[in-house]
Amino acid sequence: MPITTGVAFETVARFAADVRAGLSQPEQKQLPFKYFYDDVGSALFEVISVLPEYGLTRADERLLKKYANRIATSIPASVVVAELGSGSGKKARWLLEALSRLEPVTYCPVELSSAALAVCARELSDLDSVRVIALERDFLEGLSEVATRREDGQHLLVLFLGSSIGNFECENAVSLLTSIRATMKAGDALLLGTDLEKEVARIIAAYDDPLGVTAAFNLNLLARINRELDADFNLQNFKHHVKFNRQTRDVEMYLQSTCRQTVRINKAGFSTVLSAGESILTERSHKYSLDEVSAIIQEGGFRCQEQFVDREWPFAESLMFAE
């Protein structure tokens, strides 16, 4: 299986600018969730995905395994697969196996973590009919590159699995889907994963596990800023905090300051002051209703062909087409 790796997308300057902008917010300090996924963060998330409290990944995989052949036969021939936020690539495996039984396939994992892309290459190394072109890029930049590279007559299948769409506020989720649609041609397909509404206690447990793996994942964001931006966050002065916003149906993750402190981020050229109890928002994850999923699909410019739903851990995969 030939493997090609693209040039790294992320720069220190962009990272620094995003951190400065987020920590300068007057109402609620925040940090972009995409920066969770450095090499350490990606490895921690792989551990989170197998925790008993985090049923989302297993639900995603159950659906992909069960319906892979059905999805593969719904896709036009001569397909290039682009997965946004691929991680280790293990979820895509079921689909790639099904597609490659029909014809050779090019698979382009789009991911910010070089370590995750390396794991992805190892995970899929035994699939002889799958060519991997790994792109260390942001979602849209990577997808645009895949769309530009495809040959005449090739169709595009975009995989946006897990609950990644839930990290965006609903208005921004529609904007993202619209941007994805803009890179596609009629007949191209998108498979979208969405985590669905469920009991609040189950949601909280999934983001605040008793082993503290998710807490370590959250705190690693500050450790990454220390490493890459020459900051002086003292991780012992922060605690992982999770709450469910019933009004927006978002689970929200925070890093809460346990004391008044000043932190210097040298490569961003500024300092930030946090009071005792003040928090930094690091992630939102929206929990959808099926009607809401259908609405954002339509608003994003797609036609939903079929929806597959896991009932054990309410979760949906929606197969949709650009027209």
Side-chain angles (χ1 to χ4, degrees), residues 167-205:
N167 294 139
F168 298 86
E169 295 181 42
C170 287
E171 182 178 328
N172 293 333
V174 171
S175 295
L176 178 60
L177 290 178
T178 302
S179 296
I180 291 172
R181 172 63 185 88
T183 69
M184 302 169 77
K185 298 178 181 178
D188 290 344
L190 169 64
L191 185 65
L192 178 69
T194 45
D195 201 19
L196 302 178
E197 298 171 294
K198 54 187 65 66
E199 299 91 338
V200 172
R202 293 183 79 189
I203 295 172
I204 293 294

Side-chain angles (χ1 to χ4, degrees), residues 238-255:
F238 291 88
K239 65 180 182 179
H240 173 68
H241 177 63
V242 178
K243 70 178 184 180
F244 186 73
N245 187 323
R246 293 179 183 274
Q247 183 175 358
T248 61
R249 299 201 315 280
D250 294 344
V251 59
E252 299 171 349
M253 283 202 327
Y254 296 88
L255 290 166

Side-chain angles (χ1 to χ4, degrees), residues 3-275:
I3 300 169
T4 306
T5 304
V7 179
F9 135 81
E10 191 176 289
T11 65
V12 170
R14 184 179 300 188
F15 186 19
D18 287 347
V19 168
R20 178 170 186 152
L23 294 181
S24 300
Q25 294 296 313
E27 298 293 330
Q28 171 67 66
K29 290 181 173 66
Q30 54 190 292
L31 291 168
F33 69 88
K34 68 179 181 180
Y35 292 115
F36 277 132
Y37 299 97
D38 65 343
D39 294 352
V40 176
S42 294
L44 285 168
F45 186 75
E46 288 299 312
V47 178
I48 290 169
S49 71
V50 298
L51 292 173
E53 295 82 10
Y54 197 79
L56 189 157
T57 300
R58 290 183 292 281
D60 202 6
E61 291 176 350
R62 279 192 296 269
L63 292 175
L64 293 169
K65 182 178 180 180
K66 183 176 181 179
Y67 295 107
N69 289 330
R70 189 154 149 187
I71 294 167
T73 55
S74 300
I75 305 300
S78 187
V79 65
V80 177
V81 180
E83 183 175 7
L84 308 183
S86 61
S88 68
K90 65 181 180 181
K91 288 182 291 186
R93 184 183 184 92
W94 304 108
L95 280 171
L96 294 173
E97 287 181 342
L99 289 164
S100 64
R101 283 193 288 267
L102 302 174
E103 62 179 0
V105 175
T106 297
Y107 169 63
C108 301
V110 179
E111 171 65 58
L112 287 174
S113 168
S114 58
L117 289 173
V119 172
C120 183
R122 292 196 299 271
E123 179 77 24
L124 304 174
S125 62
D126 60 329
L127 299 181
D128 293 332
S129 296
V130 178
R131 178 189 181 210
V132 177
I133 301 176
L135 297 173
E136 194 176 337
R137 305 282 193 280
D138 203 351
F139 290 160
L140 294 178
E141 185 176 357
L143 180 57
S144 178
E145 186 169 335
V146 176
T148 301
R149 286 184 178 190
R150 66 168 152 176
E151 299 173 5
D152 290 342
Q154 284 188 316
H155 288 90
L156 185 61
L157 169 60
V158 180
L159 306 180
F160 200 24
L161 307 175
S163 62
S164 296
I165 193 71
N167 294 139
F168 298 86
E169 295 181 42
C170 287
E171 182 178 328
N172 293 333
V174 171
S175 295
L176 178 60
L177 290 178
T178 302
S179 296
I180 291 172
R181 172 63 185 88
T183 69
M184 302 169 77
K185 298 178 181 178
D188 290 344
L190 169 64
L191 185 65
L192 178 69
T194 45
D195 201 19
L196 302 178
E197 298 171 294
K198 54 187 65 66
E199 299 91 338
V200 172
R202 293 183 79 189
I203 295 172
I204 293 294
Y207 292 83
D208 195 13
D209 63 276
L211 287 178
V213 182
T214 312
F217 173 73
N218 201 8
L219 285 163
N220 180 62
L221 182 53
L222 301 185
R224 180 182 185 181
I225 296 171
N226 284 350
R227 290 189 297 268
E228 298 183 23
L229 299 183
D230 188 23
D232 59 0
F233 282 102
N234 184 340
L235 273 59
Q236 294 183 340
N237 291 342
F238 291 88
K239 65 180 182 179
H240 173 68
H241 177 63
V242 178
K243 70 178 184 180
F244 186 73
N245 187 323
R246 293 179 183 274
Q247 183 175 358
T248 61
R249 299 201 315 280
D250 294 344
V251 59
E252 299 171 349
M253 283 202 327
Y254 296 88
L255 290 166
Q256 190 172 55
S257 176
T258 59
C259 61
R260 182 174 176 81
Q261 55 185 308
T262 300
V263 179
R264 178 75 183 170
I265 300 97
N266 289 307
K267 289 187 179 179
F270 87 115
S271 298
T272 186
V273 177
L274 295 107
S275 57

